Amino acid sequence: MKEITRRKFIATASVATGFALAVQPISAEVITTDAKGLLAGVVKIPVKDGEIPAYRAVPAAGENFPIVLVIQEIFGVHEHIQDITRRFAQLGYLAIAPELFIRQGDVSKLSSTDEIRPIVAKVPDAQVLSDLDATVDWAVKSAKGNANKLAITGFCWGGRITWLYAAHNPKLKAGVAWYGRLVGDATELQPKYPIDIASKLTVSILGLYGGKDTGIPLDTVEQMRDRLKSSSSKSEIIVYPDAPHAFFADYRPSYREKEAKEGWKRLLAWFKEHGV
């Protein structure tokens, strides 16, 4: 797949309709949240080099909504991520999921994770953090969001970004990182991992991890816990012993209903505890 040039990405940028091709077939356990009483759909976020699309869901009536940034897996802002934003909106939040890979390619149309990974590898962390800053600005200025009640949550790739954005933006009140990689080899585009920022973190992050996650060794989770002890963030990490990677992904075979529901309850309690 050819990389989308910066001149073209604005014209071609879109949010996926339905589920990403690479995650088919969809599990029968998939959760569907309707948009009744909500404003839900695609919006355009002004960024440094143009616009990026995002999926936004918010109550149709009211204002001064607490903001939740919802950060995608490697499959992009497909139906699962869109549904999560609607779940938040039904609880009174302004939830927004920006499409953070769109300059590099439309991953929703790729048929395998092997095709997707090279696209994701080209996404600079600096670009992502800047786009999230722009998304927050848009949420406050254009969507009745409350800048003083800002939270973030992300899944897999987005879990790592949740930790990094918490270090980047100390104005966040709280975050929840779902099975985001904690340790890795630094590159020019991805120079830091959560382990590198843990000791200086000031934002309270709750990490939710699976004990049977073959991609995130438990020793790296323990390393992260140790680093967090020297921070002022009061962050915590919960490990569900029997859960695999992507245990919250109700559209995939990895879904574990018990742990997913427990994790969601913890997320909501964590946000409330920290004023979001």
Side-chain angles (χ1 to χ4, degrees):
M1 181 176 182
K2 293 182 179 179
E3 183 173 342
I4 298 173
T5 68
R6 290 185 180 274
R7 289 194 301 275
K8 293 180 179 179
F9 95 85
I10 298 173
T12 61
S14 64
V15 166
T17 300
F19 288 91
L21 188 60
V23 301
Q24 309 290 338
I26 304 305
S27 169
E29 295 183 277
V30 67
I31 295 170
T32 302
T33 306
D34 69 36
K36 184 177 180 179
L38 306 179
L39 295 175
V42 179
V43 296
K44 299 291 185 181
I45 307 296
V47 293
K48 288 182 177 179
D49 54 350
E51 292 179 333
I52 60 171
Y55 188 89
R56 174 271 279 123
V58 65
E63 58 185 357
N64 212 33
F65 300 107
I67 302 166
V68 181
L69 299 173
V70 180
I71 314 302
Q72 66 208 59
E73 316 146 299
I74 65 169
F75 306 113
V77 183
H78 67 139
E79 177 56 29
H80 175 60
I81 299 300
Q82 295 173 30
D83 195 87
I84 291 169
T85 70
R86 295 194 295 272
R87 295 176 208 178
F88 278 119
Q90 292 290 6
L91 296 172
Y93 290 95
L94 161 59
I96 185 163
E99 185 61 87
L100 298 167
F101 305 159
I102 201 66
R103 296 172 185 78
Q104 283 70 36
D106 183 356
V107 296
S108 72
K109 303 297 191 293
L110 301 178
S111 60
S112 74
T113 54
D114 288 340
E115 291 179 283
I116 292 172
R117 287 192 182 99
I119 300 294
V120 178
K122 295 177 182 178
V123 181
D125 287 345
Q127 171 188 291
V128 171
L129 300 178
S130 176
D131 285 352
L132 290 176
D133 286 342
T135 301
V136 174
D137 288 343
W138 181 89
V140 173
K141 295 174 183 176
S142 304
K144 302 179 180 179
N146 185 342
N148 296 316
K149 291 188 174 184
L150 174 64
I152 186 171
T153 191
F155 305 83
C156 187
W157 181 88
R160 172 179 172 269
I161 295 300
T162 295
W163 290 105
L164 296 182
Y165 191 67
H168 170 78
N169 185 358
K171 293 180 181 179
L172 278 167
K173 294 296 184 184
V176 177
W178 299 77
Y179 35 82
R181 193 175 178 190
L182 299 168
V183 177
D185 296 326
T187 66
E188 183 178 354
L189 298 182
Q190 293 94 31
K192 291 184 179 180
Y193 278 78
I195 196 80
D196 302 313
I197 55 87
S199 62
K200 297 181 180 179
L201 197 63
T202 60
V203 178
S204 296
I205 301 296
L206 175 64
L208 300 175
Y209 287 80
K212 293 185 178 179
D213 189 331
T214 58
I216 303 176
L218 284 176
D219 66 319
T220 66
V221 176
E222 291 306 318
Q223 290 174 43
M224 187 69 178
R225 276 181 171 150
D226 286 342
R227 294 282 181 93
L228 288 169
K229 289 176 183 177
S230 60
S231 78
S232 62
S233 68
K234 297 183 179 180
S235 296
E236 299 177 14
I237 294 180
I238 304 295
V239 175
Y240 294 102
D242 297 324
H245 188 72
F247 62 85
F248 190 77
D250 51 73
Y251 64 98
R252 297 170 68 183
S254 58
Y255 178 59
R256 297 294 183 272
E257 182 180 17
K258 178 182 176 182
E259 289 86 346
K261 288 184 174 180
E262 166 69 12
W264 183 250
K265 288 180 181 178
R266 285 184 180 272
L267 175 149
L268 296 177
W270 189 261
F271 283 1
K272 293 297 184 185
E273 179 185 342
H274 292 91
V276 183

